[in-house]
Amino acid sequence: LWDYRDDHGKPVIQELVAAARAGGGFVEYGWQRPSTGRPERKLGYAALIPEFGWMVGTGLYFDHLEQSQQVIQRSSA
């Protein structure tokens, strides 16, 4: 997947690895959602595990983040 680019031309894996090498960080990108088969906005976080030479990452789709934010706002009102 090294050369994979999202629908906007962003080299997703390359940017995630760069964020990890820079000490860890967030990257926004498009990714095909398994449940819909459509590309959707995602916010990923990548970190480096130097002793193994690994990059690990996780991410959330923006609609899930927005839904969670709405729940928090309603519960604090």
Side-chain angles (χ1 to χ4, degrees), residues 24-58:
F26 291 96
V27 177
E28 183 179 335
Y29 54 93
W31 196 260
Q32 184 173 326
R33 189 181 210 144
S35 62
T36 66
R38 295 188 317 254
E40 303 204 22
R41 284 178 58 217
K42 194 168 187 178
L43 181 64
Y45 184 86
L48 191 64
I49 302 176
E51 51 270 14
F52 295 109
W54 293 354
M55 182 273 297
V56 294
T58 189

Side-chain angles (χ1 to χ4, degrees), residues 5 14 17 27 33 46 48-50 55 59 63 66 68 72 75:
R5 292 180 180 269
Q14 293 175 37
V17 169
V27 177
R33 189 181 210 144
L48 191 64
I49 302 176
M55 182 273 297
D63 65 333
E66 291 161 357
S68 296
I72 292 167
S75 68

